[in-house]
């Protein structure tokens, strides 16, 4: 089968098309094959490819196959899902230590990692959802803010942030979104009470206090700004980072935590259904063939590109 491998740590050029044997379900009891139609490029893929996370990968080293998010068709039956079902999910391939992610034609998955894709949702949209949407939902769980509390979401123009704005607003939080000024109208339509444009830390704090003079109850920091945001947080508030590598130093009884997205089939099913029903919006920036994974990484690295880049397989 066709895959794209990381041949060595480095720039996008280390992503190389290769052929590997089809995975055999007999090698992994309980696992099922999915024939992929789409795989999304996450920021974590770039960090892993570059070698920035090499220390966290343990025994894993190139050559390996990147990729968390996927959408495709079940080749084997899974509990409650016959072969042929359209499914999406994410593969925790680093935690599993397998070195086989989703930049591949066929993958072996634990049925607990996937959910059915509603008819209204195409493969590219489905592949853009699992890791960022579950991370956003699980970050909101960690924040554990009561209805009516004020939440600052940074990186609101990005994929995780945009989903977090929508999910937080749906759960009754008053959301202040820190994102690109050009997205202000859209972020308000998606549920933000107020939008603050990107800027120097003091400008951002002034902007946030303009909407929340008492300061905010919580922060979900997907832009990884960390300490400069603390002056916007109430004493005893809560700060959740999208990365354990970028957490502020706690002060004034502010609880600081980091989210680590994990598969959750039931939650993913709800999120995909919400997407299908129009209650959640995702954004695909670009669609490229699998073989152009290196170009996809270059485009993500260039930044300022709202939405996910998805590889078609
Ligand atoms: N913990 C987990 O399990 C988990 C899961 C998924 C993602 N993540 C992490 O979460 C982060 C966001 O992921 P993503 O997929 O949403 O990435 P993304 O789509 O690239 O979004 C990040 C957004 O933050 C913006 N940004 C960067 N610096 C900023 C600043 N100083 N002020 C305001 N906005 C700023 C970026 O703008 P530009 O594009 O203009 O730079 C972009 O819009 C990444 O670090 C990713 O690795 C963690």
């Amino acid at each position: 089968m066709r895959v794209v491998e990381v041949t060595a740590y480095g720039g996008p050029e280390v992503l190389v098309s290769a052929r590997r044997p089809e995975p055999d379900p007999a090698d992994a009891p309980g696992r099922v094959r999915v024939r992929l139609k789409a795989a999304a490029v996450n920021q974590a893929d770039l960090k892993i490819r570059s070698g920035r996370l090499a220390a966290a990968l343990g025994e894993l080293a190139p050559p390996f196959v990147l990729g968390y998010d996927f959408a495709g068709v079940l080749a084997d039956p899974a509990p409650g899902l016959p072969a042929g079902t359209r499914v999406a999910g994410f593969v925790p391939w680093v935690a599993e230590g397998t070195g086989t992610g989703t930049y591949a034609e066929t993958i072996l998955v634990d049925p607990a990692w996937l959910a059915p894709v509603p008819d209204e949702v195409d493969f590219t949209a489905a592949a853009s959802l699992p890791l960022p949407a579950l991370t956003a939902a699980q970050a909101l769980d960690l924040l554990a803010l009561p209805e009516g509390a004020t939440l600052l979401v940074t990186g609101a123009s990005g994929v995780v942030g945009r989903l977090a704005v929508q999910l937080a607003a749906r759960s009754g939080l008053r959301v202040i979104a820190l994102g690109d000024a050009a997205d202000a109208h859209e972020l308000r339509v998606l549920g933000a009470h107020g939008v603050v444009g990107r800027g120097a830390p003091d400008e951002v704090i002034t902007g946030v206090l303009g909407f929340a003079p008492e300061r905010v109850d919580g922060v979900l920091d997907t832009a990884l700004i960390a300490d400069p945001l603390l002056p916007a947080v109430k004493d005893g508030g809560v700060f959740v980072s999208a990365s354990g590598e970028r957490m502020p130093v706690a002060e004034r009884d502010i609880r600081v935590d980091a989210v680590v997205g994990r598969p959750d089939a039931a939650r993913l099913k709800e999120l995909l259904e919400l997407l299908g029903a129009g209650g959640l919006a995702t954004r695909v920036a670009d669609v490229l063939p699998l073989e152009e994974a290196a170009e996809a990484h270059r485009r993500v690295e260039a930044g300022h590109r709202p939405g996910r880049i998805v590889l078609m397989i």
Side-chain angles (χ1 to χ4, degrees):
M1 67 167 177
R2 293 178 298 128
V3 300
V4 168
E5 287 182 346
V6 171
T7 50
Y9 290 128
E13 69 283 354
V14 302
L15 291 163
V16 173
S17 293
R19 296 200 79 84
R20 287 192 172 190
E22 281 257 344
D24 185 348
D27 294 339
R31 304 252 154 141
V32 293
R33 284 170 303 167
V34 182
R35 302 230 187 273
L36 298 199
K37 300 288 188 191
V41 176
N42 277 281
Q43 290 286 355
D45 301 355
L46 278 69
K47 296 177 190 172
I48 292 169
R49 187 214 70 223
S50 70
R52 259 184 61 193
L53 298 183
L57 295 190
E59 303 276 289
L60 265 182
F64 49 60
V65 176
L66 287 176
Y68 286 90
D69 285 316
F70 67 89
V73 178
L74 264 182
D76 305 305
L81 299 172
T85 305
R86 298 164 77 243
V87 291
F90 87 83
V91 175
W93 67 277
V94 172
E96 290 270 305
T98 57
T100 51
T102 60
Y103 292 11
E105 264 181 318
T106 304
I107 57 172
L108 269 186
V109 301
D110 184 329
W113 301 341
L114 53 78
V117 175
D119 291 344
E120 310 77 44
V121 178
D122 65 26
F123 286 121
T124 46
S128 74
L129 196 77
L131 177 61
L134 283 169
T135 301
Q138 290 160 359
L140 294 172
D141 293 348
L142 266 183
L143 283 153
L145 294 171
E147 207 175 317
T150 302
L151 172 68
L152 170 64
V153 176
T154 73
S157 295
V159 178
V160 178
R162 199 161 171 273
L163 289 163
V165 166
Q166 298 172 72
L167 294 173
R170 288 187 75 84
S171 68
L173 298 180
R174 189 169 166 271
V175 180
I176 300 171
L178 170 59
D180 294 341
D183 291 338
H185 174 72
E186 191 185 350
L187 288 166
R188 279 199 202 88
V189 170
L190 293 177
H193 166 79
V195 179
V196 176
R198 292 175 64 150
D202 54 335
E203 291 166 353
V204 168
I205 299 298
T206 304
V208 173
L209 296 181
F211 291 109
E214 311 287 311
R215 296 183 285 181
V216 299
D217 299 289
V219 177
L220 170 50
D221 186 18
T222 80
L224 310 185
I225 297 169
D227 297 86
L229 294 171
L230 284 180
V233 187
K234 284 180 186 166
D235 295 2
V238 51
F239 189 111
V240 170
S241 171
S243 169
E245 291 185 314
R246 281 287 291 166
M247 292 162 73
V249 178
E251 59 176 50
R252 298 181 287 113
D253 291 328
I254 294 169
R255 176 167 64 85
V256 173
D257 213 335
V259 65
V260 179
R262 55 183 194 288
D264 178 337
R267 195 78 172 275
L268 180 59
K269 184 168 184 285
E270 287 170 14
L271 290 162
L272 283 162
E273 283 170 357
L274 198 55
L275 181 67
L280 194 60
T282 180
R283 184 152 59 178
V284 173
D286 255 330
V287 180
L288 292 171
L290 175 65
E291 286 69 23
E292 290 182 29
E295 172 60 17
H297 277 223
R298 279 185 203 102
R299 291 186 191 182
V300 177
E301 239 153 38
H304 300 291
R305 203 172 183 88
R308 259 306 167 256
I309 297 191
V310 174
L311 301 170
M312 288 305 282
I313 297 162

